[in-house]
Structure formats: C-alpha cells, structure tokens
Amino acid sequence: MDIQTVIRATRGVLGDPEGVVPLHVPDYSDNPNAWEYVKQCIDTGWVSSAGAFVDRFEQMLAEYTGSPHAVVVVNGTAALHVALELAGVDDGDEVLMPALTFVATANAARYCRAVPHFVDVDEPTLGVDAARLADYLDETADRRDAGLVNKRTGRRIAALVPMHTFGQPCDLDALMAVCERFGLPMVEDAAESLGAWYKDRHTGTFGKLGILSFNGNKTITTGGGGAILTADPQLAKTAKHLTTTAKSGKAAWEYFHDVTGYNYRLPNLNAALGCAEMERLDAIIEAKRQIAERYIQAFEGIEGVTLYRELDFARSNYWLNILILDPEHADRRDELLDAMNEAKLLVRPIWNPMHTLPMYADCPRMDLSVTESLASRVINLPSSPHLR
Ligand SMILES: *Cc1c(COP(=O)(O)O)cnc(C)c1O
C-alpha cells in the first residue's frame, strides 16, 4: 500500500487539489424550502413541541420508507431507547448487537437497564453474521418458558439489534430467520441507512421496530432528530405516548400522566428542516451513489486497499464510503490516517468496538475476531453529497 497513491486517488475523486475536506457535512445550499419552512415556524410561533411539520415529516418518512407508521423524536439514540423498551427489553435482560457499531446502540440497551451482548459481524455485509450467530445461540442459549435464556449468565436474551453499517444493509432475510428460530424480536438500528434498501424493502422496516437518525452528520439532518418505524399501530401509538411524557388527561388542560414517559419529542422547528430535507432525499442519494461509483473506479487496481461496494441484495445509500486495508497493512492504518489528515482530508477510522470501551468491557460476547480485524483496517472517506 502506497500512502501517496491513496491520497492522490481520493483527491482525484473530490476534484479539489488542496482544500480541507471534512468527512460529512450538511448542505442546505440547494434547498430554499428549508429556510421557508423554518421561517413559517418563527413567523407563526410554532417553534416547539407541537405544529404541523411534525405530522408532515412523519407522513413523509412513512411514505418514503414504506413503514406504515413513523414517530419522530429528538434523536436516534432516544428512538432506540424507546424502541427497545417497546420490544419488551427490561431490567436485567440481554440485548444482542454487533460489537462493531456506534456507541449509541449499546447505550440505549443500558438505558433500559439491560446488558449489551456483543456478536460478531461478517466482512461481506459489515453487519451481524447470521450463520455464526445461529451456531452461537445453539451453543449458548436455551429456549425456556421465560423466553430465550443465556445458559452462562441465566439472563433472558430479549432482542436482536442488527445495524446497517455506513448505510450498507445487513443480510436481513438470514437475520429474520435466526430471530424466528430463536423467538427473538428484531429492532433494526437503521440510523445510518435512510435511503438504503434490502431487496425491495427499505431498511428499518423488517424488524418489530426500526430507528432512523437525523443527526448533523447523517444522510439528511434536522439539526438533531430521529424516528421510530413500525408496522404495528398499537406500538406506534405507544411510541408517541411514551415520547411525549405519557400525558393522558381527559381534558387537554389536565396534567395527568399514566406512566413514566420521556420528553423525547422533536420540535416543530427541527421537523420543518426534516420536511425540506425529505423533498431532496432522492437527489442526495443519487449524489452519494455517484460519489461512491467514482471512488470505486478510482481505487480499482490500487494495491493493498479495497473500496467497499454494495452486495447484490442491497441498494446502499453510501452514507460514508469505506476503504478497507488488506490485513497485512492493518499496522499502517494510523500512519495512513495521519498522512491523510495532514493532507487536509479529514478521514476517520471506524469506531472502537464496543467490548473495548471501559463501560462495556465486561459484557457477554461471542468470538469477535472479524470485528477486531475490521476495526483495525477500516477508514471512512469524505462523502458529503455536495462533493458530487
Ligand atoms: C448516529 C447513530 C445513532 C444515534 O443517532 P443520534 O441521532 O446521533 O442519537 C445510533 N446508532 C448508530 C449506528 C448511529 O450511527
């Protein structure tokens, strides 16, 4: 692997010989409606916890993803917290999730007083390895009246949370089959995969619940925001109730709350941005797919590195482009990161795997050798849609 060759190939795709290039930044320059909608909020005073843009954003998300229901909330982490609670995750349960994910996945399980249980990924999908998960559960877990129980810890295993890494869909058919076989509800962490499809269905709509994120660095952004997706009208209703402080007085003026709810609602101001972004989502995805195609071409034939490309069953959103170093170059990853950042290409490594973080070091886990290998040699390349 020649570091200068990698830098030249990246610069070639960006068509910018020397400027600073961030990893991913929001871009409202082609979006005059964003200003118009925000202005409407300010002009009418509907800036906060109620307003028409919230309903409209939810409808647009439901329509786009094909999910019968979408409930918007203050961020993706909050969405995941409530989705896990609605899937039945409770105090002392374990939640299966990839060790290769952003920390929010594990944090959300902890907010339910549950224990993350880390499983390995496979290299083709960068997501949970369904075949190895099934073998592992055969060995580790027992189906009892109480549900699936971890024989080693005695705790109930309450759910599986697959995550679509950088917008690349996992093998959902295979994961659904594992869930069915072991009686596990699936909650999809689709925070990174708005605009990504598995076969002909949008990611985040396969599980009992799924979640999206509209954080500042994601495919579309509302400043901060998230959504819960579900096909179940009762779960959607409860999601709305729980995320809006569980208010249920007979009269609108009454402060009666029937359970401990959360103040997780998305302000109308943010939803206004969401509506404007949804209008441009197809164009954003198109731009991102073009950038990915250019990276794939530019890196073809460069020794020692591979640019990840979507699998046959997937239509990716290419949220962040993924450069994978061959295993024999893993020890030069940091050298490459230093050189690229010095060259003003603000590239980043993939996350530290969850089991290497101090608060999750003692959590149960299977063999994580693929996670550990990928964590040592994956780099994200600049992927903002305006780079097209
Ligand atoms: C961004 C992200 C989240 C959390 O979303 P926020 O809106 O930032 O709270 C959760 N999971 C994954 C995998 C993410 O990338």
Side-chain angles (χ1 to χ4, degrees):
M1 177 185 70
D2 177 55
I3 289 180
Q4 287 313 315
T5 305
V6 172
I7 292 177
R8 256 194 318 267
T10 307
R11 279 280 174 203
V13 167
L14 302 173
D16 167 357
E18 55 196 16
V20 175
V21 189
L23 189 64
H24 200 284
V25 288
D27 176 26
Y28 279 101
S29 60
D30 293 340
N31 197 340
N33 283 349
W35 177 243
E36 175 53 34
Y37 296 167
V38 168
K39 189 170 178 301
Q40 277 177 35
C41 294
I42 294 168
D43 288 348
T44 59
W46 289 97
V47 293
S48 185
S49 57
F53 286 114
V54 171
D55 296 339
R56 189 156 136 206
F57 187 29
E58 288 178 342
Q59 276 161 20
M60 291 175 95
L61 286 168
E63 195 166 308
Y64 182 85
T65 60
S67 172
H69 305 279
V71 175
V72 294
V73 294
V74 75
N75 58 53
T77 311
L80 206 45
H81 173 197
V82 171
L84 288 176
E85 189 168 318
L86 289 173
V89 174
D90 206 350
D91 203 347
D93 287 340
E94 292 180 7
V95 178
L96 300 167
M97 65 181 70
L100 200 62
T101 185
F102 177 60
V103 70
T105 320
N107 287 347
R110 267 288 156 84
Y111 300 160
C112 299
R113 297 171 308 281
V115 179
H117 184 156
F118 301 119
V119 302
D120 208 6
V121 297
D122 58 39
E123 189 155 341
T125 68
L126 307 174
V128 172
D129 182 330
R132 280 177 61 225
L133 174 60
D135 289 347
Y136 174 70
L137 289 177
D138 272 333
E139 214 173 275
T140 317
D142 253 349
R143 285 199 74 166
R144 301 188 191 149
D145 291 345
L148 192 67
V149 173
N150 181 337
K151 287 191 277 192
R152 293 181 189 145
T153 62
R155 288 187 292 244
R156 186 174 79 111
I157 299 176
L160 170 68
V161 185
M163 194 278 287
H164 306 292
T165 308
F166 307 130
Q168 304 293 341
C170 306
D171 189 352
L172 283 161
D173 282 347
L175 290 169
M176 299 263 286
V178 173
C179 283
E180 193 134 314
R181 187 166 145 224
F182 292 94
L184 280 173
M186 183 162 95
V187 176
E188 278 176 87
D189 184 343
E192 304 180 353
S193 63
L194 179 63
W197 270 260
Y198 176 78
K199 297 184 180 169
D200 53 0
R201 236 164 104 189
H202 196 277
T203 53
T205 65
F206 287 76
K208 187 169 185 169
L209 300 124
I211 72 101
L212 301 171
S213 165
F214 316 115
N215 190 36
N217 61 352
K218 295 279 166 42
T219 301
I220 67 166
T221 184
T222 55
I228 300 167
L229 305 178
T230 183
D232 181 329
Q234 196 51 51
L235 284 179
K237 209 171 152 204
T238 313
K240 186 55 105 176
H241 186 60
L242 276 181
T243 55
T244 55
T245 67
K247 192 160 174 279
S248 69
K250 280 197 193 68
W253 41 256
E254 192 181 6
Y255 289 110
F256 182 76
H257 308 264
D258 52 10
V259 290
T260 303
Y262 306 100
N263 181 16
Y264 280 173
R265 67 186 116 214
L266 186 72
N268 201 44
L269 207 45
N270 302 82
L273 287 176
C275 292
E277 286 276 78
M278 284 306 287
E279 292 170 6
R280 289 198 54 252
L281 180 53
D282 285 335
I284 291 171
I285 301 291
E286 209 32 64
K288 295 180 77 68
R289 290 184 60 84
Q290 279 178 29
I291 296 162
E293 196 45 53
R294 289 220 307 269
Y295 271 126
I296 289 165
Q297 278 171 20
F299 279 88
E300 219 148 78
I302 293 184
E303 186 271 324
V305 296
T306 313
L307 210 90
Y308 186 92
R309 81 165 71 215
E310 67 193 355
L311 300 175
D312 284 347
F313 58 57
R315 183 177 164 84
S316 169
N317 66 4
Y318 286 103
W319 170 50
L320 292 181
N321 284 281
I322 306 160
L323 187 70
I324 307 181
L325 278 57
D326 289 354
E328 64 268 31
H329 300 307
D331 58 350
R332 294 182 62 209
R333 184 199 76 170
D334 291 358
E335 194 192 331
L336 179 62
L337 284 164
D338 278 340
M340 292 188 86
N341 278 278
E342 213 139 287
K344 301 189 214 158
L345 299 167
L346 307 187
V347 298
R348 294 283 178 271
I350 197 169
W351 319 282
N352 285 309
M354 294 303 101
H355 66 292
T356 67
L357 304 181
M359 62 287 195
Y360 299 127
D362 295 330
C363 291
R365 60 183 197 240
M366 67 185 264
D367 167 71
L368 297 173
S369 39
V370 178
T371 295
E372 282 172 354
S373 169
L374 285 170
S376 71
R377 56 199 178 85
V378 168
I379 288 178
N380 289 125
L381 299 177
S383 303
S384 304
H386 74 268
L387 294 173
R388 171 202 45 172

